[in-house]
Amino acid sequence: MAAPKKGRRPTGAQGRPGRALAIILIAMVALTAGMFISKQTTPRLGIDLAGGTSITLKAKSEPGKENAVNETNMNTAVGIIERRVNGLGVSEAEVQTQGRDHIIVNIPKGMNEKQAREQVGTTAQLYFRPVIAFADGAPAAPEGAQSPSPSASGSGAPKAEDGNKTSPSATPSSSATSQGRALSEGLKAPNAPTPTPSAGESKKADDKAAPSPSASAPAPDPAAADLQAKFAALDCTNEAQRANVGTGVKPTDPTLACGQRGEQWGKWLLGPAAVEGKDVKSAKGEIDPQSGQWIVTMNFNDHGADAFAKVTGELAAKQMPQNQFAIVLDGDVISDPSVSTAITGGNAQISGGFTQQSAQDLGNMLSYGALPLSFQEDSVTTVTAALGGEQLRAGLIAGAIGLLLVVVYLLVYYRGLAFIAIVSLLVSAILTYTIMALLGKGIGFALNLPAVCGAIVAIGITADSFIVYFERIRDEIREGRTLRPAVERAWPRARRTILVSDFVSFLAAAVLFIVTVGKVQGFAFTLGLTTLLDVVVVFLFTKPVMTLLARTKFFSSGHPWSGLDPKRLGAKPPLRSSRRTAAPAPVEAKEA
Amino acid sequence: MSKLGDLGAKLYRGEVGYDFVGKRFLWYGVSILITITAIVALAVQGLNMGIEFKGGAVFTTPKTTASVAKVTEDAEKASGHDAIVQELGTGGMRIQISGLDTDAAADVKKQLAADLKVTEADINADLVGPSWGEQIANKAWTGLGVFMVLVVIYLAIAFEWRMAVAALIALIHDLTITVGVYALVGFEVTPGTVIGLLTILGYSLYDTVVVFDGLKEGSKDITKQTRYTFSEIANRSINGTLVRSINTTVVALLPVAALLFIGGGFLGAGMLNDISLSLFVGLAAGAYSSIFIATPLVVDLKEREPAMKALKKRVLAKRASAAARGESPDDAQGSEDEPQVVSQGRQPGRRR
């Protein structure tokens, strides 16, 4: 970017200062307007300034899964963690990857930190549970009462068909159209003692349904009845109910679960966990060479293979929906394939209506349990808003005082020229502020304390560009030039210096941004942004303004307060200058 | 301040000039001394690693009437670990307890809230595992490595390899000094410090690059003249950019100082303070090294070149013959102890 090229670069509209100024003015107006239109009039504050909890997780690479820490898995993990955290009923929690192996979870103030940490940190809550009953997501209102016949074409069937997209069957042969009937028959199946199949898919189903399918003859059980009642009442379309469903249930107990089938919510009554997620050795989404369809293949460890063979053996003997098992992740049903035969040998595949994305997602989830990776907590920071606000205030006060000192110094030293510098700093500040505010919405940029530091440090970097340029102009005046040629002749050289040094600064910021995480990143981002804006401001504002002001009497006559008084600067006698001009430097000729 | 302005003019005209390059061995000596001190301090005293590197918790309480001693006692009793307690400018306390894991910290927080009669929510807790700071530091090392490689490549292309090498040495020099100051004074090293240190990377080089830019320009057609040797031109370049260097450093240090003394003073220890402290030390070191170390190093490297050796010979021969003829060389270099007397104009190389 800033290689000190000898070639032509736009010279900051040497002859046309008005155009450059117009560009930057338009940019400022557009950014400010954008800021107001998008109602983002302040930069989004980071967790350290606004208050809240920030949890940094580091992915652990486990033996045998060294390659597991990769982008796909990190993104899957982010998705799962995000759902968990926001499943608490908190909005605005954000989960992001940072660097190669970190995930930052920022939870705004006002939420239960302990609960959040539990939610975020835990892994492997993935279970395979046999399906006892399935129903549409909504509770059994009038709909539930309808069509009590066993051949129920009740609400279950069409939904199930919809759901076929995401609820593939274990065998391609499994037919979706039979689901309605299969369900009712399944409810009669010997192993599942659900005597009176009520149509709305056991919405008011009986009191003995709950026990595990493998239990041969469970006695009527008040707990099961209770579960049935809850199942009937459960409304999976209600977010709050969804969040609570199945919480605190032991894997060995039957449970309720919600899940999405296609666009629709469904609810399940599920038996005890038959296989745990940790028994899945590997799983992935791939294309079935025979059918050309996306499928998910699974590979179990020994324990898992035995358990899976057993449960599939039992399930295969049943009817819909009890020949299905549900893959339950954190209480949500993510898939409910049906089984037609016992699957032995520890390998299984799920097929039916997957897209590449859904197959790979499911593969990832199965492969690594609830989270594709295991994480350790690296740091937990809670910040109260009060203190964060104080820190921000201190930083801003410090910044303001620092700026004031810079202004005073510039005024004393550069006099009139200082105004150009100050206005340029102001332009720079407006651009920085509006961009930061907009980026808050755009890319989730949050102004944290280190970022504030970065912005303050950047005052120095920005001011430096003016100093380089001003010193060059003054040097030219010392050569005996009048202001207008001095301003133009000083520019190419100053420009090169500014570009070269800003490039180094930007390089440092970019490297920091890429290799580091968390707090350092915010700092690096701000530094990089302000460095870029420095270039923009110097080219499009400072230089053109300088060109314009060089035409004014105040500056061009070298008024003592202009900062450009030739006498003060010790300009050479004219005699010398004429000699100098006779020898125009070849360097400049190339550069200008 | 106009004095500095006059100085600028005088420097520009060459009426005054500081012989940085001639006295470079003095400055090398100074730097080596500082570096050795830094290394010794680092070896003997070590760095005072913050809690982020040891693992533990930092609690910040709201304004409280309890004394530091009382809070220390409470904190130690509640945690069973040593606690460092500082009073903040706000009247609150900053309590550092190392060796606390994240679970135990919750209990300590509760206990502290009860002891200080504030609600738990008012206490700010920063819990870090022992690996957190280490990771930041590791990433910082990676960043440092990557940056150094890239910047050396860039400088080698934009300027030449000798300048790249000199800039790199100056950069390492700055970092050493900064780390040395930390070891010597015993300032706490936190991730904020690391951030500050990393910023020095860019800034130290920024200064160096500006000086080098002047040097590159000044030595453009150096072999086409016989008035100055490379080291003389280098010295003039430093002098030519001296005022800029001073101004830039002052302007950069002002906000950082404000951050350090006002922001830090207001809040006591904290990230603002950590960043600004290392920046302050590093910026000062950076300004020093760009003038006293980086450019003289370039001279040392450059004067080994046959072309520069030949040039030096020619220049000296010309001066000798001029002296033999009884002329006073108008731009002779005086003895190295006196301010150089050089003629006007900043690009001597272009004249012939």
Side-chain angles (χ1 to χ4, degrees):
Chain A
M1 147 205 160
K5 276 196 201 116
K6 290 178 185 97
R8 257 152 227 283
R9 292 191 134 265
T11 57
Q14 197 152 313
R16 278 178 252 177
R19 200 169 65 172
L21 287 174
I23 291 174
I24 201 154
L25 195 71
I26 290 168
M28 279 164 66
V29 169
L31 282 168
T32 312
M35 196 172 81
F36 282 105
I37 290 166
S38 66
K39 296 198 173 63
Q40 292 283 310
T41 48
T42 51
R44 225 167 59 97
L45 293 182
I47 212 91
D48 55 347
L49 296 173
T53 306
S54 175
I55 302 170
T56 306
L57 302 168
K58 181 182 185 294
K60 285 190 287 198
S61 57
E62 285 172 31
K65 287 186 182 176
E66 276 83 9
N67 293 329
V69 182
N70 58 37
E71 210 185 321
T72 316
N73 285 340
M74 289 296 282
N75 289 337
T76 309
V78 164
I80 295 169
I81 292 175
E82 189 151 45
R83 216 183 44 198
R84 284 180 176 177
V85 178
N86 285 325
L88 297 174
V90 196
S91 53
E92 289 175 13
E94 54 170 48
V95 184
Q96 322 165 301
T97 53
Q98 273 193 318
R100 204 179 61 86
D101 56 357
H102 283 84
I103 289 181
I104 310 275
V105 185
N106 286 331
I107 301 155
K109 61 184 167 181
M111 75 169 282
N112 188 334
E113 181 210 322
K114 188 162 168 283
Q115 198 185 355
R117 275 171 61 192
E118 276 167 10
Q119 294 278 335
V120 164
T122 50
T123 49
Q125 291 192 339
L126 177 81
Y127 299 110
F128 292 75
R129 288 171 177 270
V131 173
I132 297 170
F134 167 77
D136 203 6
E143 206 189 350
Q146 90 193 171
S147 59
S149 88
S151 61
S153 57
S155 49
K159 297 304 181 225
E161 271 171 310
D162 282 352
N164 241 13
K165 282 188 291 223
T166 51
S167 63
S169 62
T171 53
S173 62
S174 152
S175 140
T177 48
S178 67
Q179 272 188 8
R181 195 165 45 81
L183 164 66
S184 354
E185 283 167 16
L187 288 172
K188 283 188 270 190
N191 267 353
T194 48
T196 51
S198 73
E201 285 88 58
S202 65
K203 273 171 190 135
K204 14 181 179 162
D206 80 346
D207 26 354
K208 295 168 207 142
S212 130
S214 55
S216 51
D221 176 356
D226 184 41
L227 204 59
Q228 279 294 342
K230 277 190 186 154
F231 179 63
L234 178 64
D235 180 4
C236 281
T237 56
N238 179 315
E239 201 175 329
Q241 288 200 26
R242 222 160 50 219
N244 285 325
V245 69
T247 46
V249 177
K250 277 184 269 173
T252 50
D253 287 342
T255 187
L256 301 175
C258 292
Q260 260 181 315
R261 285 186 145 202
E263 299 299 303
Q264 302 290 328
W265 284 98
K267 58 182 177 180
W268 282 263
L269 180 58
L270 300 170
V275 183
E276 290 187 36
K278 66 178 186 211
D279 289 331
V280 178
K281 206 154 70 184
S282 67
K284 61 180 175 206
E286 54 193 2
I287 291 185
D288 180 6
Q290 275 144 41
S291 66
Q293 302 285 311
W294 279 94
I295 56 168
V296 179
T297 56
M298 290 185 288
N299 187 349
F300 292 94
N301 64 18
D302 289 346
H303 179 258
D306 291 347
F308 195 69
K310 184 161 166 267
V311 71
T312 49
E314 284 164 5
L315 292 177
K318 297 180 191 172
Q319 300 295 318
M320 269 292 188
Q322 291 177 329
N323 65 345
Q324 287 174 294
F325 62 87
I327 299 170
V328 186
L329 174 67
D330 283 349
D332 291 345
V333 174
I334 53 171
S335 180
D336 60 346
S338 60
V339 180
S340 58
T341 55
I343 298 168
T344 54
N347 288 310
Q349 50 177 258
I350 311 174
S351 60
F354 283 112
T355 62
Q356 175 175 0
Q357 187 65 42
S358 64
Q360 284 171 346
D361 283 352
L362 182 58
N364 277 331
M365 287 182 202
L366 290 170
S367 187
Y368 301 103
L371 283 177
L373 301 162
S374 55
F375 290 89
Q376 71 189 40
E377 253 177 28
D378 249 359
S379 81
V380 180
T381 308
T382 54
V383 188
T384 59
L387 192 97
E390 215 149 70
Q391 293 257 354
L392 177 63
R393 211 172 66 214
L396 293 180
I397 291 173
I401 293 174
L403 196 59
L404 194 73
L405 290 173
V406 168
V407 165
V408 168
Y409 183 85
L410 289 175
L411 273 177
V412 170
Y413 191 80
Y414 287 115
R415 305 196 169 189
L417 277 183
F419 283 105
I420 299 172
I422 291 162
V423 178
S424 302
L425 278 174
L426 208 66
V427 170
S428 195
I430 292 172
L431 289 175
T432 310
Y433 184 87
T434 49
I435 289 176
M436 276 180 172
L438 286 170
L439 284 183
K441 197 160 209 175
I443 61 165
F445 171 78
L447 191 65
N448 57 15
L449 201 58
V452 174
C453 285
I456 292 168
V457 169
I459 297 172
I461 290 179
T462 309
D464 182 72
S465 305
F466 312 143
I467 293 175
V468 168
Y469 186 33
F470 293 164
E471 285 300 322
R472 284 291 194 189
I473 294 174
R474 285 155 69 114
D475 282 355
E476 293 295 332
I477 288 173
R478 285 175 181 133
E479 295 281 347
R481 288 197 180 81
T482 53
L483 186 58
R484 280 174 75 167
V487 163
E488 300 312 324
R489 283 179 65 95
W491 176 238
R493 295 201 214 143
R495 184 182 64 204
R496 194 187 61 178
T497 309
I498 291 167
L499 285 177
V500 171
S501 45
D502 269 347
F503 180 74
V504 169
S505 208
F506 185 78
L507 188 66
V511 169
L512 278 187
F513 184 78
I514 292 164
V515 301
T516 57
V517 293
K519 294 167 179 170
V520 189
Q521 246 184 353
F523 180 80
F525 185 87
T526 314
L527 211 58
L529 177 68
T530 47
T531 307
L532 281 182
L533 287 178
D534 174 42
V535 175
V536 171
V537 169
V538 168
F539 273 71
L540 294 181
F541 187 80
T542 312
K543 165 64 178 57
V545 164
M546 199 62 230
T547 305
L548 285 180
L549 287 181
R551 296 174 187 167
T552 64
K553 192 157 174 288
F554 177 78
F555 282 100
S556 62
S557 67
H559 190 278
W561 283 101
S562 68
L564 293 165
D565 179 3
K567 228 170 26 204
R568 268 194 110 77
L569 293 175
K572 292 177 200 176
L575 219 155
R576 288 288 285 178
S577 85
S578 62
R579 197 186 119 189
R580 284 282 297 165
T581 43
V587 188
E588 285 162 329
K590 257 187 263 169
E591 279 171 0
Chain B
M1 206 58 62
S2 65
K3 252 191 171 161
L4 187 56
D6 290 346
L7 178 66
K10 282 183 183 148
L11 281 168
Y12 184 77
R13 289 194 301 268
E15 283 165 19
V16 283
Y18 299 97
D19 192 9
F20 299 108
V21 172
K23 290 196 187 134
R24 62 187 182 273
F25 293 105
L26 173 69
W27 298 114
Y28 288 169
V30 169
S31 283
I32 290 170
L33 206 67
I34 297 174
T35 311
I36 291 174
T37 315
I39 292 170
V40 168
L42 199 60
V44 175
Q45 216 138 319
L47 288 170
N48 176 15
M49 297 310 251
I51 207 129
E52 290 85 353
F53 295 91
K54 294 186 292 197
V58 182
F59 300 97
T60 317
T61 71
K63 197 171 164 61
T64 169
T65 50
S67 70
V68 170
K70 165 88 166 58
V71 174
T72 311
E73 195 186 314
D74 283 351
E76 291 186 349
K77 214 164 75 194
S79 65
H81 291 272
D82 284 345
I84 301 167
V85 179
Q86 294 161 292
E87 194 163 358
L88 300 180
T90 53
M93 299 278 180
R94 183 170 183 267
I95 305 159
Q96 278 188 43
I97 303 172
S98 56
L100 214 58
D101 66 26
T102 43
D103 288 331
D107 299 336
V108 175
K109 185 175 171 183
K110 197 175 281 172
Q111 188 64 41
L112 280 173
D115 288 349
L116 295 171
K117 298 183 184 62
V118 292
T119 62
E120 228 179 296
D122 286 339
I123 295 184
N124 201 51
D126 202 339
L127 319 174
V128 285
S131 57
W132 175 227
E134 213 168 279
Q135 275 171 33
I136 286 207
N138 283 342
K139 303 239 172 194
W141 283 118
T142 316
L144 189 66
V146 173
F147 175 69
M148 279 181 173
V149 170
L150 289 179
V151 96
V152 163
I153 293 172
Y154 174 70
L155 290 180
I157 294 169
F159 298 112
E160 57 171 315
W161 67 266
R162 291 174 191 83
M163 290 186 179
V165 168
L168 189 66
I169 294 174
L171 180 64
I172 294 171
H173 167 267
D174 297 343
L175 291 175
T176 315
I177 290 183
T178 312
V179 171
V181 168
Y182 267 76
L184 214 56
V185 186
F187 293 131
E188 205 181 10
V189 178
T190 65
T193 313
V194 177
I195 295 175
L197 209 64
L198 291 170
T199 314
I200 299 169
L201 300 179
Y203 224 101
S204 158
L205 277 165
Y206 189 104
D207 247 13
T208 309
V209 163
V210 172
V211 178
F212 280 1
D213 199 48
L215 176 56
K216 184 190 178 188
E217 194 183 300
S219 62
K220 190 104 189 163
D221 295 311
I222 186 165
T223 51
K224 293 182 190 145
Q225 53 90 41
T226 51
R227 279 165 93 98
Y228 307 100
T229 63
F230 184 81
S231 62
E232 285 157 14
I233 286 174
N235 202 49
R236 298 177 65 130
S237 296
I238 301 176
N239 279 300
T241 46
L242 193 61
V243 172
R244 187 221 65 95
S245 294
I246 294 170
N247 279 349
T248 303
T249 307
V250 169
V251 165
L253 278 177
L254 285 175
V256 174
L259 212 56
L260 179 59
F261 297 113
I262 299 153
F266 184 49
L267 286 166
M271 181 158 273
L272 279 179
N273 224 1
D274 298 337
I275 295 179
S276 47
L277 181 65
S278 56
L279 270 179
F280 194 82
V281 178
L283 282 180
Y288 162 81
S289 73
S290 64
I291 294 171
F292 294 98
I293 303 299
T295 312
L297 276 175
V298 172
V299 170
D300 274 330
L301 289 169
K302 194 86 181 172
E303 296 249 297
R304 287 161 194 268
E305 261 185 277
M308 293 301 131
K309 276 186 186 159
L311 171 68
K312 192 170 181 180
K313 220 180 229 168
R314 286 205 304 275
V315 172
L316 293 181
K318 190 185 168 217
R319 278 183 196 153
S321 70
R325 273 183 274 127
E327 292 169 16
S328 75
D330 79 317
D331 49 16
Q333 45 141 201
S335 104
E336 291 192 337
D337 297 326
E338 282 165 17
Q340 242 183 309
V341 181
V342 285
S343 78
Q344 296 152 345
R346 241 163 24 93
Q347 281 88 39
R350 287 193 209 140
R351 276 218 204 130
R352 305 269 135 108

